[in-house]
Amino acid sequence: MTDDEQELGITESKSHNTGDWYAEVVRKAGLASYGPEGMSGFIVTRPRGYALWEAVQNALDAEFKDTGVQNAYFPVFIPESYLEREKDVVEGFDPEVAWVTQGGHEELDERLAVRPTSESIIAPYIAQWVRSHRDLPMRVNQWCSVVRWEATETKPFFRTKEFLWQEGHTAHETDEGAWEETMLRLDQYESLYEDVLAIPVLRGQKPPHDTFPGAKTTTTVEALMPDGKSVQGATSHHLGQSFAEAFDITFSDEQEEERVAHTTSWGVSWRCLGALIMTHSDEQGLVLPPTVAPTQVVVVPIWQSDTREEVLEYAEGVTAELEDAGISVELDDRDERNPGFKFNEHELNGVPLRIEIGPNEVDDEELTLVHRPDGESVVEDRDDVAETVERHFDEVYAKLYAAAEETLDGAVREADDRAEILGTLGRHGGYVETPWCGDVDCEAEIKEQIAAEIVMVPFEDDDELIGTDHEETCGVCGEPAERTAYFAKSY
RNA sequence: GGGGCCGUAGGGUAGUGGUAUCCUCGCUGCCUUGGGUGCAGUGGACCUGAGUUCGACUCUCAGCGGCCCCA
């Protein structure tokens, strides 16, 4: 009967069986279901899962709008001739593009790509809209889904053939302008992770061989997952002038000279939800920071038949007061479930804070608050409940962030030679920081042996191996090192 | 890209060439609460297709789907 005892909740071990555990949390917490038969790699995002995406959207969209971005929407289909105009993009995405060849009963003259990304349909319009330097910088963003027909295995939110994301596209007068834009968006992504999702990240750039097709520089925020793999949390590209040249994004400068613009693009997908779920959740189920939780507080009344009325009345008062303060609160007054059942259910669903109200609380004009992440229970005065709850939100957030930060700090290890790199990655996972000569072959060697790659290289300003005299040699080949590389297995 | 494991009601399990079982699942009624297990009744499945067979959930093949390991 042990299986029966556990069947309502999570049965898989987070540390030993992370994949199954993750799938179980996603399903049992009501975040997503698998797609229909014949459509492996697609998921149905259920309301509680979609609410998480909306929280991310709300946070980011406000930041974007505060920094000069306007939202727009471009077609889901891209004519093949458009896609072909930037050759690196064609080559980069070719194996993953889904094509439409028929409309109604008619064969199409030109097949249409289901967008794998929209540079090639947005850029031509930006080219039309930009005439003079006065039109720059131009920034458009769209919230949409894209399709990448990956052959590799899929995992809800982490890797799905269709995924929701946001893609921003900008054009600038100068290279510096484009660079500043690239970094501004990366800062905003970092802030999304650290201030909204409670996940500390490493920031830097991708090695040259792993940049976005056609891009000059690809930047990334990397988050560590509990199984020791790294996930690219968001990305921001300095595209240089290659797209502007391919799509004729030109403008007249102050001297009436025709010049080619510099462009950027940047995006974050619902993969950030995968990182969110995987980072904080535990073997009781989903754990969410109050910043994104669809239900932030649940009030559970606990009564005996003679106290029922007063307990409920008190609980309703508390609920109403929290609602008035703009807090997302649910009063769980179902009478066919006992409190223990409700506790477990709300824990499974990731409600960050629970308020227990029974006759004792009513008599003492108090509340019992319980933090989801660690079960800490605190008795507080009934007065100023909204303020008290907000304070506990901050505490819960801090607990989540601190735990994730500790994990990350402990997972960055240094290694100076090949054996140490392989040994450390094999034994501990996480990140291995090593001097690197810059040659892609050195990465390939590690990749072959242990399937880890360079997920991040610190920015030039943060990398002490640049521009200074040092004796460091590449951890793989022993040639003089030019950069610091972070190796990790990745999603 | 290569290899392995797996697919049985909402969930969890078994098992057999002759249609299971458990549940904290659904529904109805009764019961009423400080960490999921009250009582009674009732409902519902063998991933899809082809083959073998008197008969396939079971055996074979293919497909679809899921998970894991390696590249």
Side-chain angles (χ1 to χ4, degrees):
Chain A
M1 289 300 274
T2 53
D3 289 333
D4 292 341
E5 277 173 23
Q6 294 180 321
E7 80 196 19
L8 266 186
I10 300 300
T11 59
E12 297 290 350
S13 156
K14 179 173 185 180
S15 49
H16 295 113
N17 217 350
T18 313
D20 287 330
W21 164 84
Y22 176 78
E24 195 176 21
V25 170
V26 166
R27 187 171 54 76
K28 289 194 171 168
L31 301 178
S33 304
Y34 288 107
E37 185 87 350
M39 284 179 64
S40 90
F42 288 83
I43 60 169
V44 173
T45 308
R46 301 181 61 183
R48 202 176 294 117
Y50 198 80
L52 295 177
W53 181 238
E54 287 178 315
V56 167
Q57 280 187 304
N58 290 338
L60 264 186
D61 206 57
E63 290 293 316
F64 290 162
K65 284 174 179 160
D66 279 350
T67 47
V69 181
Q70 294 183 302
N71 284 331
Y73 188 79
F74 293 80
V76 65
F77 299 130
I78 301 179
E80 185 166 20
S81 55
Y82 278 55
L83 210 57
E84 284 172 342
R85 284 173 70 180
E86 218 297 336
K87 65 172 182 8
D88 292 328
V89 169
V90 199
E91 285 169 19
F93 286 101
D94 184 56
E96 301 176 0
V97 173
W99 293 99
V100 175
T101 58
Q102 199 173 325
H105 298 297
E106 311 249 323
E107 197 74 15
L108 301 179
D109 291 339
E110 178 180 8
R111 57 181 187 159
L112 304 174
V114 181
R115 62 182 165 221
T117 178
S118 303
E119 274 80 2
S120 53
I121 194 163
I122 293 181
Y125 288 89
I126 291 183
Q128 281 182 34
W129 300 333
V130 171
R131 322 254 6 137
S132 95
H133 65 94
R134 294 199 181 86
D135 298 320
L136 297 175
M138 178 166 289
R139 302 180 175 97
V140 294
N141 175 64
Q142 72 172 346
W143 293 93
C144 64
S145 74
V146 292
V147 170
R148 295 182 188 172
W149 214 268
E150 313 243 10
T152 27
E153 70 195 42
T154 56
K155 196 185 230 47
F157 300 118
F158 273 105
R159 180 179 287 127
T160 48
K161 285 177 181 161
E162 179 187 21
F163 55 90
L164 295 179
W165 79 345
Q166 139 298 295
E167 50 178 323
H169 300 268
T170 69
H172 307 263
E173 256 186 278
T174 61
D175 185 73
E176 302 78 66
W179 184 245
E180 277 167 27
E181 179 77 17
T182 306
M183 294 308 287
L184 168 64
R185 301 311 160 194
L186 190 70
D187 289 344
Q188 289 175 336
Y189 293 139
E190 184 177 23
S191 163
L192 172 73
Y193 273 86
E194 303 206 330
D195 303 328
V196 179
L197 302 178
I199 302 174
V201 291
L202 299 177
R203 50 183 275 149
Q205 59 191 71
K206 288 290 178 186
H209 54 271
D210 195 25
T211 54
F212 177 76
K216 203 168 143 189
T217 306
T218 287
T219 70
T220 179
V221 289
E222 295 283 326
L224 178 73
M225 296 298 101
D227 57 0
K229 291 186 185 173
S230 181
V231 60
Q232 179 170 7
T235 186
S236 173
H237 313 287
H238 186 316
L239 298 174
Q241 292 182 302
S242 61
F243 282 86
E245 274 160 9
F247 293 99
D248 260 343
I249 305 179
T250 58
F251 63 97
S252 313
D253 68 11
E254 291 89 335
Q255 281 75 46
E256 294 184 40
E257 294 285 324
E258 185 85 345
R259 288 172 49 197
V260 177
H262 299 75
T263 63
T264 77
S265 69
W266 24 275
V268 66
S269 77
W270 70 12
R271 174 178 273 192
C272 69
L273 302 184
L276 172 75
I277 297 158
M278 201 175 256
T279 300
H280 303 304
S281 302
D282 58 25
E283 282 158 33
Q284 290 282 96
L286 186 64
V287 177
L288 297 172
T291 39
V292 297
T295 300
Q296 296 173 294
V297 193
V298 61
V299 178
V300 180
I302 301 159
W303 68 73
Q304 288 73 43
S305 38
D306 57 327
T307 58
R308 177 174 173 151
E309 214 162 293
E310 57 183 274
V311 165
L312 272 180
E313 196 180 319
Y314 189 88
E316 280 162 6
V318 169
T319 305
E321 198 168 324
L322 291 174
E323 262 169 9
D324 288 347
I327 291 164
S328 168
V329 56
E330 180 191 326
L331 172 62
D332 189 351
D333 58 359
R334 291 176 296 176
D335 66 358
E336 70 273 19
R337 294 295 184 196
N338 64 26
F341 184 96
K342 295 177 185 177
F343 296 167
N344 282 284
E345 185 171 270
H346 295 297
E347 282 164 9
L348 176 64
N349 288 338
V351 180
L353 190 65
R354 175 173 75 235
I355 301 180
E356 302 177 5
I357 294 174
N360 302 339
E361 282 81 1
V362 175
D363 289 345
D364 301 340
E365 291 183 35
E366 288 178 338
L367 303 166
T368 299
L369 277 66
V370 182
H371 294 181
R372 167 64 180 88
D374 58 359
E376 185 188 351
S377 172
V378 183
V379 176
E380 297 273 15
D381 285 340
R382 161 69 179 83
D383 290 338
D384 302 321
V385 57
E387 225 169 89
T388 305
V389 161
E390 295 283 3
R391 199 176 73 239
H392 282 272
F393 282 171
D394 291 343
E395 286 178 26
V396 167
Y397 192 94
K399 281 180 182 176
L400 293 177
Y401 189 88
E405 193 175 34
E406 201 184 325
T407 309
L408 176 60
D409 288 348
V412 180
R413 300 179 177 84
E414 291 181 18
D416 294 322
D417 62 61
R418 189 184 319 209
E420 207 181 339
I421 296 171
L422 293 170
T424 307
L425 282 170
R427 211 166 31 249
H428 305 291
Y431 300 97
V432 167
E433 184 185 348
T434 188
W436 177 46
C437 64
D439 192 336
V440 62
D441 290 342
C442 286
E443 181 196 53
E445 213 171 298
I446 300 296
K447 203 168 179 175
E448 247 165 61
Q449 294 190 54
I450 202 165
E453 57 196 275
I454 298 174
V455 296
M456 198 227 23
V457 173
F459 288 117
E460 299 190 6
D461 293 348
D462 303 335
D463 195 336
E464 54 195 24
L465 296 188
I466 285 186
T468 51
D469 278 332
H470 60 77
E471 300 287 302
E472 295 290 345
T473 55
C474 175
V476 184
C477 70
E479 295 293 310
E482 293 180 0
R483 298 300 291 261
T484 301
Y486 282 68
F487 279 91
K489 296 187 181 186
S490 74
Y491 272 96

